[in-house]
Amino acid sequence: MALSLKNVSFSRQVLPVVALVGLVIAVLYIVTGLPDRELEEPSREPPRATGELAGQNRVAGAGIVEPSSEIVSVGTALSGLLTAIRVEPGDIVQQGQPLFTVDDRAARASLTEANAQIAEARAAIAEASSARETADRQLALFRNVEDPAAVSRSEVIRAEGEAAAARQRLELARSRLSAAEARANSVRTEIGRLTVRAPITGEILSVDKRVGEFVSAGGPQGAGSEPILQMGETRPLHIRIDIDEEQATRIKEGAPAIVSPRGDASRQVEAQFVRIEPLVVPKRSLTNSAAERVDVRVVQAIYALPMSEEGFRVGQQVDAYIPARESAR
Amino acid sequence: MIWIAIRMLTGDNQKFYGLLFGIAFSTLLITQQLVIFVNLIERGASSVYNVPSADVWVMDPVSRTTDVNFPMPSTALDKVRGVAGVEWAVPHLRASASVRTKSGDLEGVSVIGVDDATLIGLPKNMVVGTTDVLSRPDTVIIDDVGTTRMFGEASPIGERLELNDQRAVVRGIADSIPSFTSQVTLYTKYSQALRYVPGTRNRLSFVLVGASDEISPEELTARITEETGLRARTRDEFAQDGINFIIENTGIPLNFGITVALGFIVGIAIVGLTFSLFIRDNIKQFGALKAIGLTNGKIAQMVAAQALMVGLVGYGLGVLGTVGFIYAFSANPTFKGFYIPWQIPLVSFASILVIITLTGWLALRSVMKTEPAAVFR
């Protein structure tokens, strides 16, 4: 039983030790090899309801930032080539400020033409009035002759006729003048219409046509034509929040909503209630899916962002939490 | 006395190694098969465990597992967000698609769309690259096992794929446990996934939910179901659903059950026979021991010691063999994520105890009946 090397038995001593070591290795391997299934906090902040909303009933919705005037797609009343664009995206424009002009050379040529017609009509008036003067003097001369035998009756009739004709020519020339002036006026109006002015005070959001491109009247509704520029009142910005119609009855109207922009959920802004759109609409995709067919209808609630908030842009998506009514569930 | 028993046992090398082999082999068979069985059916839960941060999964009432799902309208996300106790909720898309590789082959893949802003839904770790690559256009992240299936040894980084006529560029490799079918998995942003998967009306497969601290996930699932009518499962419940789906729909439990039973039977047969023979051979020695006045109880102790010695050494060797097997194959993509649940060695230990008790008891009966005179026959 002495522990000399000669006495070591493979089956009695080595094997049990091997088995024991094997068991220890197995235990270590098993313990270290167990899969890691720990739950962990997300590394980037997801949107969450905070403050009072955290523990109470609320309604959530996806929203989109829009100008408080909604987006105005400015079009042109007359078709033609764009000759000048006076604004850039981001400009703040006042109501009535020129935005862009459409090619007005044809209209200006018409104006020149109309002006020439005015001059022509004025010359005709001068000519007709001198003719009338001549005829009137002739007639007066005949009328002043006492002796009836001195002037034949037919002479007098002819002179009377000439005087009347001269008066009418003058009338005609005058109405030609006013026609030419009216035409000049209408051409001037047309030239005015070729310069498109801002319909409201607001910010230019996009300019989608370049100088030299052809724009057609009819605006964005026309087949395939896009708006020339888009503008809207961005002070303040509004948020249009889509809420599933099933949830819509739970909204507490008038209470402020908590919104945070996509991708920056740690930033939470309180937006004031503006109104709920009276029309329930099919859900429009705010999730970039192409050709979305729809069986969900949404109520749209409008909230105003505080004026001081920077960094919200028109068209940006936001996640919103709105308090629910107390009675709801 | 016990030492004499051990010397008796190891005196006959053939029988000793025969016994050892029997025990070690059945341990190996039972343990290894159970390990593979458990890991194989846990593949059904891997998709759930690959998402490290979701407490609760919300789905359409008819969805059953991560792969058998029925998409919901996108407003379901907002409904879930409106439930009190929901800390956060993000959309999650899982769908299968066909991808055209550069060589022109078609390959079935599962596309997983994770929330654009937070990237919740990605596996915990990356093998190559960071999760930030998803912010680049047309990016997909491939899973590590899928890489070997699709690209072999070559690096997939920068490879261009075609999904639903759209371009996709592989820019990262995620460290994830493959699913049961071990399909190639492509992770991408939710909005991107909508383009990659041919569209049906509803696209949102799951809503992943984080429970707030005040509420347990179990309570939250009940509340979500009550308020939204959607099916909500906690992480563990949903993982179990995936496992149950495989158990119900495949013959795997039966097949592995048969193998484990065979291991048990082989163990009993070899060990039982050899042990009986060994005892019978040594019946004279036992007779002699009885003749010098050893009680039956003492002899029972000796036989128990012999059985225990064989059992323990054989078991140790068998478990070592299993560990060696799993270790040797751990680099193989097929065995990615395989582990030995600690319960399984205990199960096989219990089986071995049953085997040696049974055979020891059978062998002991003849020894008990031996008369001291047997030594003279």
Side-chain angles (χ1 to χ4, degrees):
Chain A
M1 287 289 280
L3 278 174
S4 73
L5 205 61
K6 209 197 302 184
N7 280 352
V8 169
S9 150
F10 179 74
S11 41
R12 273 195 300 279
Q13 279 145 355
V14 177
L15 262 187
V17 169
V18 167
L20 209 63
V21 170
L23 276 180
V24 171
I25 291 175
V27 167
L28 287 179
Y29 186 81
I30 289 166
V31 169
T32 55
L34 287 181
D36 176 15
R37 286 175 182 168
E38 279 296 299
L39 271 174
E40 59 179 28
E41 282 293 302
S43 54
R44 298 193 201 178
E45 182 78 358
R48 38 181 120 203
T50 52
E52 288 179 8
L53 279 183
Q56 75 185 57
N57 281 324
R58 71 246 173 173
V59 180
I64 196 156
V65 179
E66 64 176 22
S68 48
S69 64
E70 298 186 17
I71 292 179
V72 182
S73 297
V74 182
T76 172
L78 299 165
S79 305
L81 288 179
L82 267 182
T83 50
I85 294 175
R86 312 260 177 91
V87 289
E88 284 177 359
D91 286 357
I92 306 286
V93 294
Q94 300 300 315
Q95 188 176 10
Q97 190 176 328
L99 298 175
F100 59 88
T101 49
V102 179
D103 187 9
D104 60 356
R105 283 172 296 179
R108 293 215 178 272
S110 302
L111 184 61
T112 318
E113 203 177 315
N115 283 337
Q117 277 169 357
I118 290 173
E120 188 198 356
R122 291 222 168 96
I125 288 172
E127 190 263 346
S129 54
S130 72
R132 196 191 74 173
E133 208 172 310
T134 315
D136 279 352
R137 274 164 56 196
Q138 186 82 39
L139 186 59
L141 184 67
F142 285 141
R143 288 223 173 112
N144 288 340
V145 174
E146 303 277 309
D147 185 0
V151 184
S152 79
R153 184 71 195 145
S154 68
E155 283 280 315
V156 174
I157 289 171
R158 193 180 53 78
E160 277 174 355
E162 270 176 10
R167 260 199 310 280
Q168 271 152 15
R169 262 169 67 195
L170 183 61
E171 282 301 303
L172 179 66
R174 282 198 179 125
S175 55
R176 262 204 207 138
L177 175 65
S178 53
E181 276 171 347
R183 185 151 179 271
N185 264 336
S186 87
V187 171
R188 254 180 238 116
T189 311
E190 197 165 306
I191 289 174
R193 287 170 79 202
L194 285 168
T195 298
V196 176
R197 293 167 187 278
I200 53 167
T201 299
E203 186 178 353
I204 305 296
L205 301 171
S206 73
V207 176
D208 301 322
K209 291 279 186 184
R210 315 282 162 261
V211 168
E213 286 184 61
F214 186 84
V215 292
S216 45
Q221 287 81 20
S225 68
E226 51 183 37
I228 297 159
L229 58 80
Q230 293 181 303
M231 62 175 298
E233 178 56 271
T234 53
R235 294 161 301 176
L237 285 169
H238 278 182
I239 287 174
R240 183 173 291 263
I241 302 168
D242 285 359
I243 295 147
D244 192 322
E245 56 186 342
E246 284 177 33
Q247 304 272 311
T249 51
R250 301 176 59 213
I251 301 174
K252 186 174 175 186
E253 286 185 37
I258 292 176
V259 297
S260 49
R262 281 278 158 91
D264 187 9
S266 57
R267 186 151 160 240
Q268 298 194 314
V269 178
E270 201 175 89
Q272 294 306 317
F273 179 79
V274 177
R275 64 173 191 276
I276 287 179
E277 292 282 9
L279 186 65
V280 177
V281 296
K283 167 144 177 69
R284 201 160 50 100
S285 169
L286 297 179
T287 44
N288 299 332
S289 151
E292 187 158 359
R293 281 170 292 171
V294 173
D295 67 347
V296 179
R297 288 188 164 258
V298 289
V299 172
Q300 297 190 315
I302 312 289
Y303 285 81
L305 280 173
M307 296 276 258
S308 55
E309 277 305 321
E310 297 285 324
F312 280 89
R313 298 191 183 283
V314 174
Q316 195 175 14
Q317 292 181 55
V318 296
D319 294 302
Y321 289 100
I322 305 166
R325 266 207 295 245
E326 300 300 324
S327 59
R329 277 199 269 260
Chain B
M1 248 337 107
I2 303 294
W3 185 246
I4 291 176
I6 302 295
R7 286 198 81 104
M8 247 163 95
L9 180 69
T10 52
D12 187 340
N13 270 340
Q14 271 176 8
K15 290 211 179 67
F16 176 64
Y17 289 121
L19 282 171
L20 223 50
F21 176 77
I23 295 287
F25 187 70
S26 52
T27 307
L28 182 69
L29 212 56
I30 293 172
T31 318
Q32 188 248 23
Q33 287 297 308
L34 277 178
V35 165
I36 292 184
F37 168 66
V38 167
N39 278 286
L40 212 52
I41 61 165
E42 282 207 352
R43 287 284 201 242
S46 65
S47 312
V48 178
Y49 286 125
N50 275 339
V51 177
S53 45
D55 295 311
V56 172
W57 292 59
V58 182
M59 65 209 87
D60 191 272
V62 301
S63 294
R64 294 187 63 189
T65 69
T66 48
D67 294 319
V68 184
N69 62 60
F70 187 77
M72 304 174 280
S74 54
T75 47
L77 174 65
D78 296 325
K79 284 189 196 169
V80 174
R81 279 185 177 166
V83 177
V86 172
E87 181 75 17
W88 49 261
V90 294
H92 192 67
L93 184 149
R94 301 183 89 93
S96 51
S98 295
V99 66
R100 190 182 291 280
T101 59
K102 213 164 71 172
S103 55
D105 294 336
L106 269 187
E107 173 103 33
V109 295
S110 46
V111 174
I112 297 183
V114 302
D115 181 45
D116 287 37
T118 59
L119 303 182
I120 291 172
L122 281 181
K124 192 181 272 186
N125 299 316
M126 296 283 288
V127 179
V128 176
T130 63
T131 53
D132 293 333
V133 293
L134 278 184
S135 56
R136 291 164 67 183
D138 298 337
T139 298
V140 293
I141 293 178
I142 196 169
D143 69 313
D144 47 356
V145 174
T147 311
T148 55
R149 281 171 57 94
M150 210 147 141
F151 300 102
E153 291 302 305
S155 164
I157 302 296
E159 286 291 335
R160 257 193 293 158
L161 307 169
E162 188 186 315
L163 272 162
N164 192 27
D165 291 342
Q166 311 272 341
R167 184 181 85 127
V169 183
V170 179
R171 293 208 173 94
I173 303 177
D175 177 13
S176 69
I177 310 292
S179 69
F180 181 69
T181 52
S182 99
Q183 258 196 335
V184 179
T185 305
L186 297 176
Y187 296 91
T188 185
K189 285 192 172 185
Y190 186 80
S191 56
Q192 194 76 18
L194 292 176
R195 298 203 293 115
Y196 286 152
V197 179
T200 51
R201 191 181 62 216
N202 297 329
R203 312 298 285 279
L204 181 65
S205 319
F206 296 100
V207 176
L208 303 183
V209 173
S212 66
D213 296 336
E214 301 92 66
I215 188 167
S216 75
E218 287 76 18
E219 281 173 73
L220 187 60
T221 53
R223 198 183 285 177
I224 291 173
T225 306
E226 185 198 333
E227 292 197 12
T228 64
L230 299 168
R231 182 170 184 251
R233 304 290 278 169
T234 65
R235 190 180 192 231
D236 292 331
E237 283 170 355
F238 199 44
Q240 193 59 46
D241 287 350
I243 292 172
N244 291 347
F245 186 81
I246 289 177
I247 292 178
E248 285 161 23
N249 290 284
T250 65
I252 290 177
L254 189 64
N255 281 326
F256 278 89
I258 289 170
T259 318
V260 170
L262 281 180
F264 197 74
I265 291 167
V266 166
I268 289 191
I270 296 185
V271 176
L273 276 174
T274 326
F275 208 56
S276 308
L277 282 177
F278 160 74
I279 297 290
R280 190 155 302 160
D281 281 356
N282 287 316
I283 217 120
K284 282 182 181 168
Q285 277 79 351
F286 282 117
L289 287 172
K290 271 196 169 180
I292 60 171
L294 229 58
T295 59
N296 267 355
K298 201 76 185 170
I299 288 184
Q301 271 181 25
M302 286 173 66
V303 174
Q306 288 168 346
L308 220 56
M309 162 93 176
V310 166
L312 283 179
V313 173
Y315 173 75
L317 294 178
V319 169
L320 190 65
T322 310
V323 170
F325 175 85
I326 297 295
Y327 178 75
F329 282 92
S330 59
N332 187 318
T334 320
F335 290 87
K336 166 90 200 264
F338 270 35
Y339 69 103
I340 306 175
W342 56 269
Q343 296 93 335
I344 287 177
L346 297 186
V347 168
S348 52
F349 186 66
S351 315
I352 296 305
L353 273 188
V354 170
I355 290 175
I356 58 169
T357 320
L358 213 60
T359 52
W361 176 70
L362 282 175
L364 203 59
R365 281 197 319 180
S366 56
V367 179
M368 293 297 187
K369 277 185 270 174
T370 307
E371 293 169 15
V375 68
F376 302 115
R377 287 188 194 128

